[in-house]
Amino acid sequence: MPVTIKSEREINLMREAGKILAKVHEELAEAVEAGMSSYEIDKMCEKIIRGYDCIPSFLGYDGYPGSVCISINDEVVHGLPSKDKIIQDGDIVSLDIGVIWKGYQSDAARTIAIGEISKEAQQLIDVTKQSFFEGIKFAKEGNHLYDISAAIGDYAEKFGYGVVRELVGHGIGTEMHEDPQIPNFRQKRRGMRLQAGMTLAIEPMINMGRPDVAWTDDNWTVVTDDGSLSAHYENTILITKGEPEILSL
């Protein structure tokens, strides 16, 4: 699929999708607490999304059974909702959500703390979020795609963290996953030149230990190979002539 440059009409629809998604994240993060199952969180998320007249992007995507990917502690991404997975005090929980508004997608992820978490876990969450902001300093017309990748990876690796290699960010528009793919680590080439009107989902996935990951038997849930904690932070952004616009904040 070629990289699409969005028209003003499309950008406005994606802005609206992003605004709604930001509200969904806020409402869900406030509601999640210890003792809830990931199944309950998923049902709540679907209700919130539909309350804004949006469609959950993930529900049924390649057969995915939920409206939100709920990944706990050593789960990196794509954790399946389950009545048996109970959120505990001290957990870190990554919530990855997509919404469709009038045919246009927005995608964003946050890792949240449940109750009191360790200083080390809080630092992982903070660094993962900041690595996104380090990356998008380069997300402007005339720069190259992998300038973003290098800035994300270099920042996270300074803390001794592992940057996941097997999963990457992506273009986004009428489809959840469009070209280009956006790694979160330094590349040998600089990649394509960025143009105003591109919409990208930038999403660092950072492990406290090694970068290696494994897929569990459910064929969805990705976990750290060494059992270390993992955090995820993502927004949908618009490339402009100047500073990037974050659509999902």
Side-chain angles (χ1 to χ4, degrees):
M1 180 181 290
V3 177
T4 55
I5 303 297
K6 308 301 188 292
S7 68
E8 200 51 49
R9 181 190 75 85
E10 292 179 300
I11 289 166
N12 283 331
L13 288 168
M14 291 190 71
R15 267 195 195 109
E16 191 56 33
K19 265 190 212 149
I20 291 167
L21 180 52
K23 289 179 190 161
V24 172
H25 261 295
E26 273 174 30
E27 288 180 36
L28 194 64
E30 277 175 23
V32 171
E33 56 188 25
M36 292 175 87
S37 72
S38 61
Y39 176 84
E40 283 175 81
I41 294 167
D42 177 62
K43 288 292 161 241
M44 187 189 301
C45 185
E46 183 180 355
K47 192 174 172 190
I48 296 169
I49 292 170
R50 295 195 189 280
Y52 285 107
D53 286 334
C54 285
I55 298 165
S57 302
F58 300 163
L59 188 57
Y61 185 89
D62 282 348
Y64 188 79
S67 298
V68 49
C69 299
I70 304 162
S71 307
I72 306 164
N73 296 330
D74 67 330
E75 295 174 348
V76 182
V77 285
H78 305 158
L80 293 179
S82 165
K83 290 178 178 173
D84 301 325
K85 263 199 218 162
I86 306 299
I87 306 292
Q88 311 285 341
D89 202 48
D91 284 346
I92 67 170
V93 180
S94 297
L95 302 168
D96 187 359
I97 310 171
V99 303
I100 306 170
W101 167 258
K102 297 188 177 173
Y104 283 83
Q105 307 257 0
S106 191
D107 186 11
R110 309 280 183 262
T111 300
I112 62 171
I114 307 299
E116 289 290 309
I117 63 169
S118 69
K119 281 209 296 278
E120 292 79 11
Q122 188 60 55
Q123 179 180 282
L124 176 69
I125 292 172
D126 294 343
V127 168
T128 301
K129 179 177 178 176
Q130 188 56 37
S131 71
F132 165 88
F133 287 100
E134 294 298 319
I136 67 163
K137 288 175 183 175
F138 296 91
K140 56 182 76 166
E141 183 164 88
N143 284 348
H144 289 256
L145 184 67
Y146 297 154
D147 297 341
I148 300 171
S149 305
I152 291 170
D154 290 357
Y155 182 78
E157 285 171 354
K158 278 196 312 204
F159 293 85
Y161 294 150
V163 180
V164 174
R165 298 309 205 245
E166 284 93 335
L167 302 146
V168 296
H170 49 92
I172 184 169
T174 54
E175 299 291 328
M176 167 58 62
H177 295 108
E178 298 184 354
D179 282 338
Q181 292 199 337
I182 310 160
N184 295 304
F185 49 95
R186 187 170 278 282
Q187 304 293 298
K188 290 193 169 62
R189 295 176 300 122
R190 291 190 74 196
M192 67 168 59
R193 195 180 281 276
L194 298 170
Q195 296 177 54
M198 287 180 175
T199 43
L200 308 173
I202 311 283
E203 52 176 324
M205 291 155 272
I206 310 294
N207 300 342
M208 196 179 276
R210 295 197 313 272
D212 313 344
V213 298
W215 270 255
T216 62
D217 291 343
D218 66 24
N219 283 328
W220 278 105
T221 310
V222 181
V223 295
T224 58
D225 212 28
D226 59 8
S228 64
L229 294 177
S230 187
H232 186 195
Y233 186 83
E234 174 185 23
N235 282 302
T236 299
I237 70 162
L238 169 68
I239 303 296
T240 72
K241 302 278 186 198
E243 295 305 310
E245 184 180 337
I246 303 176
L247 302 178
S248 52
L249 267 189

